[in-house]
Amino acid sequence: MSLRRLLGAATAVVILGGFAPAPATAAPALPAGGTRVPAAPSAQDPATLDPAALWKGTPDGFASLPGHGLPGTTGGQAGKIVTATTIAQLQEFASAPEPLVIFIDGSLHAAQYVKIPVAANKSFIGAGAGAEVVNAGFKLINVSNVIFRNFTVRDSYIPGDWDGKRPDNDRDGIQLDTSHHVWVDHMKFERMGDGLIDTRKDSDFLTYSWNVFADNNKALGVGWSANAVTRMTIHHNWIRNTTQRNFSLDNTAAAHVYNNYLQDIGQYGMMGRNAAKVVLEGNYFTAVQDPIVAKDPGTEVVNRDNIFNSTRGRKDNVGSAFDPAAFYPYQEDDAARIPDLVSAGAGPRTNNAAQTTAEITVALDGTGDFGSLQAAIGSIPAGNTQPRTITVKPGTYREVVNVWADRPNLTIQGATANPADVVITYDTPSNGAKFFGGTWGAVGSATMTISATDTTVRNLTVENAYDEAANGNSQALAVRSVADRVVFDGTRFLGNQDTYLADTAGRDATARTYLKNCYIEGDVDFLYGRGTAVFDRCTIHSVDRGSDTNNGYIVAPSTKNSNPYGFLITNSTLTSDAAPGTVSLGRPWFASSDPDAHPMAVIRDSVLGNHIAVQGWADMGGHVWTEGRFAEYRNTGPGAFINEFHPQLSDADAARFTKEAFLGGWTPAGLR
């Protein structure tokens, strides 16, 4: 079969053509500053974009420049063309001493993970749609002049090792050690065991352009060296549903990062470390915590023309770094158009079809579609309107889970009726230190965060396993729900302080959550927040703190004064092994002394154990409990006191404070 039939005529020309060496002139020395290149409008409208127009015959950026004895990056252009249809063939061609253009034809699976050694002067090119390398990666050790284009590297993830800490887990997509002149272009990397690309040990003259990096904890690390040597260009990449190293740029002599799209990032975005010099311009960040971080005193990060959407935290701008225009010409696209432009053009050619599967399975034993719940969520297209269901098979999944705001209409369910069979666990405390400064805070501590409307979670356990006894008291959330119309059905929440936060996207936003047949345990303020939450037929268990007088508080609402509905606990059971009379029903939380707060909670038609205090409600932070809107109605059990400390609703008022009233016209499945 001819290459033109494999690729299509236009693609064959653009991928193979024009690999002419750059003129052999000396690379310029690093300048202290220069004239910045202004942003320019994109040449194409993404709505009518021809992806072929975004393919270049030769590399741009630092990979195009002469240095270390090479005129530029040409890959295997000087050699013959071969085609690999198996992993064994790919290994043979990759290690060959002569230059080669290696076409990858079809899906190449490794039975056991292998990191393929790559010799110098190679081009690896996907032969049309569907070209991929599965359960394998590439290793470049002291080599040069290598090109990767137009295929996918995926799925070396070790189920359960989300942190990548197992000693046998060094399963990168590409690892570079002391290598130079490498161009990675229009590739896709997803669900690898360790990093998607690890750029290490003084590698130099690199360009990473128009790639997709997705569904992984660690995305893109640069460094592992005490020397500030690496020069690299990072442009028009789509980094999505990742957690850290997006990129992490350590001791780069010059890192030019422009027109990238960072979407749905779990931890931090772009970071400069140690003596790194970084120019970040025209990038678009959405749903990213700490989008730009200059970690160390010697780090210089220029932050200009970037757009931040639904982000919070650091947006550092420190020092002058360098002037990219002193090295090579380039055109910066308007940052406002980057989401459309990059999502349309990044990744392999004709290999970005939307995932339409409605039923997705996650399993630790290899029998599912994915080994990680977060990876399964990432497989759902942003802006999804189709109902999707992720079924999680039994096991303990140590990972932080985000249901991103742009992935609504999702159900996550355990595969059995017993929620103890599926456990999602992590152990971040609110007061835990970020390695780049500050603490995670309550929001950053959550094991699971629900930011998408119409999400349902059922028949599984979510736990924050932070050990208070060993490490001291701290907020440590199991679950934070932010979106409107969220359902938890038959779900267990395990924690201590602040187990569940019913939050909203802003002080004026509405977020209704319906919790049915759930089990929730904690000790201090473990049901709290400004959202509207109905706890129906739940077991709410106060953990014994070992005190003879105070074993904590159940609710701590911070309802806005204009919202008549905060927390409703109904038809539920309040239990504890704590000493009798030592647990308060709750207290009013005026977050940051919020003048617009008027905390509200009703507990009705429920069974209250003997752990409930005679004085049912407590003061908080200088605010007396009577400043809150607290009431009870028709409760039973030894903790169901009727006195001046347990205000009761009248029958007429009780008719106004029902499940239906709290949910405000929304009727979730199972409401009765």
Side-chain angles (χ1 to χ4, degrees):
M1 181 179 292
S2 72
L3 286 175
R4 287 180 181 270
R5 284 187 63 195
L6 280 170
L7 296 169
T11 305
V13 170
V14 79
I15 291 180
L16 290 174
F19 280 175
T25 56
L30 287 175
T35 303
R36 75 167 288 241
V37 177
S42 298
Q44 300 244 6
D45 181 350
T48 59
L49 184 67
D50 175 9
L54 305 177
W55 288 72
K56 296 184 177 181
T58 57
D60 55 9
F62 278 109
S64 69
L65 300 181
H68 303 301
L70 288 182
T73 304
T74 58
Q77 135 182 355
K80 63 182 180 180
I81 296 172
V82 296
T83 300
T85 59
T86 67
I87 288 290
Q89 289 177 332
L90 184 60
Q91 290 176 286
E92 177 187 354
F93 296 145
S95 61
E98 71 270 21
L100 291 175
V101 175
I102 304 163
F103 278 87
I104 296 169
D105 185 9
S107 182
L108 281 57
H109 287 247
Q112 302 293 327
Y113 175 79
V114 58
K115 190 175 286 183
I116 299 168
V118 176
N121 306 311
K122 299 291 183 294
S123 294
F124 297 89
I125 299 174
E132 60 181 6
V133 173
V134 183
N135 197 33
F138 297 88
K139 188 166 189 174
L140 285 64
I141 305 295
N142 196 27
V143 298
S144 61
N145 197 27
V146 179
I147 293 171
F148 297 91
R149 303 191 85 185
N150 196 50
F151 64 98
T152 295
V153 181
R154 66 173 176 87
D155 288 310
S156 68
Y157 177 72
I158 298 176
D161 190 29
W162 190 78
D163 286 326
K165 297 297 187 183
R166 273 178 46 166
D168 61 339
N169 190 357
D170 191 24
R171 300 184 171 194
D172 304 314
I174 298 177
Q175 184 183 90
L176 294 75
D177 283 5
T178 324
S179 296
H180 63 90
H181 287 92
V182 177
W183 183 28
V184 183
D185 181 66
H186 282 94
M187 294 283 290
K188 180 190 287 185
F189 299 86
E190 55 191 359
R191 300 182 299 274
M192 301 304 289
D194 194 27
L196 298 175
I197 299 182
D198 278 358
T199 306
R200 301 157 38 110
K201 300 180 181 178
D202 303 340
S203 294
D204 198 11
F205 289 105
L206 314 169
T207 296
Y208 301 157
S209 53
W210 294 101
N211 303 295
V212 176
F213 301 102
D215 304 341
N216 218 62
N217 182 353
K218 302 171 187 175
L220 302 140
V222 179
W224 291 272
S225 171
N227 304 312
V229 169
T230 301
R231 287 164 284 190
M232 63 191 308
T233 303
I234 303 160
H235 73 86
H236 292 92
N237 298 286
W238 189 4
I239 306 172
R240 67 183 192 220
N241 193 44
T242 60
T243 300
Q244 54 183 315
R245 302 182 185 173
N246 304 290
F247 287 53
S248 174
L249 301 159
D250 187 5
N251 277 331
T252 53
H256 183 203
V257 184
Y258 73 96
N259 286 156
N260 298 282
Y261 180 28
L262 277 73
Q263 176 189 31
D264 299 337
I265 306 298
Q267 202 174 94
Y268 61 88
M270 294 286 183
M271 175 183 290
R273 304 174 67 169
N274 290 311
K277 289 182 170 56
V278 182
V279 173
L280 289 163
E281 56 183 346
N283 301 286
Y284 194 104
F285 299 81
T286 185
V288 182
Q289 302 181 47
D290 295 307
I292 298 179
V293 176
K295 177 179 177 290
D296 299 303
T299 305
E300 295 185 33
V301 174
V302 172
N303 167 2
R304 67 187 178 215
D305 298 334
N306 299 295
I307 291 179
F308 304 96
N309 175 40
S310 300
T311 65
R312 60 185 179 84
R314 292 172 63 171
K315 302 179 181 71
D316 296 348
N317 188 9
V318 180
S320 57
F322 67 100
D323 177 17
F327 292 95
Y328 50 77
Y330 70 99
Q331 180 158 315
E332 177 193 335
D333 289 308
D334 181 358
R337 304 179 73 247
I338 288 304
D340 289 337
L341 186 66
V342 170
S343 62
R349 185 168 173 81
T350 66
N351 197 27
N352 285 321
Q355 195 267 84
T356 59
T357 304
E359 301 288 336
I360 303 167
T361 302
V362 177
L364 294 175
D365 61 4
T367 60
D369 301 300
F370 301 97
S372 156
L373 176 54
Q374 191 60 51
I377 293 168
S379 74
I380 297 169
N384 169 67
T385 58
Q386 172 187 348
R388 316 266 184 152
T389 298
I390 298 174
T391 299
V392 187
K393 290 190 175 183
T396 298
Y397 297 78
R398 177 177 165 78
E399 56 182 295
V400 175
V401 174
N402 284 281
V403 181
W404 303 108
D406 52 18
R407 287 159 174 82
N409 305 301
L410 176 62
T411 295
I412 302 172
Q413 62 184 15
T416 73
N418 184 357
D421 288 344
V422 176
V423 178
I424 313 299
T425 184
Y426 214 72
D427 55 1
T428 303
S430 172
N431 64 8
K434 298 179 182 179
F435 73 92
F436 51 90
T439 60
W440 294 114
V443 169
S445 75
T447 300
M448 175 180 281
T449 299
I450 309 294
S451 300
T453 57
D454 297 307
T455 299
T456 297
V457 179
R458 67 164 60 99
N459 294 342
L460 53 77
T461 296
V462 185
E463 172 188 53
N464 192 313
Y466 173 71
D467 190 339
E468 281 193 341
N471 301 306
N473 295 338
S474 175
Q475 296 173 289
L477 278 62
V479 176
R480 174 182 177 236
S481 61
V482 184
D484 193 26
R485 302 192 304 272
V486 173
V487 173
F488 294 98
D489 182 4
T491 306
R492 295 198 308 162
F493 303 68
L494 306 181
N496 288 103
Q497 183 175 348
D498 294 3
T499 305
Y500 170 57
L501 170 57
D503 207 353
T504 68
R507 288 188 176 183
D508 296 325
T510 296
R512 294 162 293 176
T513 305
Y514 179 55
L515 302 97
K516 181 183 72 170
N517 297 326
C518 292
Y519 173 88
I520 308 169
E521 73 172 33
D523 49 29
V524 175
D525 305 331
F526 61 99
L527 309 176
Y528 83 111
R530 65 189 175 204
T532 296
V534 173
F535 303 84
D536 185 14
R537 290 164 277 167
C538 294
T539 297
I540 298 169
H541 185 76
S542 295
V543 175
D544 184 6
R545 302 169 73 200
S547 172
D548 293 330
T549 57
N550 184 357
N551 282 297
Y553 317 87
I554 297 173
V555 303
S558 57
T559 324
K560 189 177 178 182
N561 56 13
S562 59
N563 184 0
Y565 304 112
F567 287 2
L568 173 64
I569 298 174
T570 182
N571 300 310
S572 295
T573 304
L574 279 56
T575 66
S576 182
D577 297 324
T582 58
V583 175
S584 294
L585 291 172
R587 52 187 184 169
W589 180 35
F590 289 82
S592 303
S593 299
D594 182 0
D596 292 328
H598 194 183
M600 188 273 181
V602 170
I603 302 175
R604 61 174 295 170
D605 300 300
S606 296
V607 179
L608 280 52
N610 67 359
H611 58 297
I612 299 301
V614 174
Q615 180 165 332
W617 303 89
D619 303 337
M620 184 180 191
H623 294 274
V624 297
W625 71 269
T626 53
E627 293 182 65
R629 292 173 282 174
F630 297 136
E632 302 165 56
Y633 180 71
R634 213 164 52 191
N635 294 316
T636 59
F641 299 99
I642 297 179
N643 57 33
E644 67 271 29
F645 305 114
H646 290 260
Q648 302 292 309
L649 293 174
S650 68
D651 290 343
D653 286 337
R656 297 190 298 112
F657 293 104
T658 63
K659 293 181 285 188
E660 293 76 11
F662 273 71
L663 297 177
W666 168 48
T667 306
L671 180 68
R672 60 175 174 81

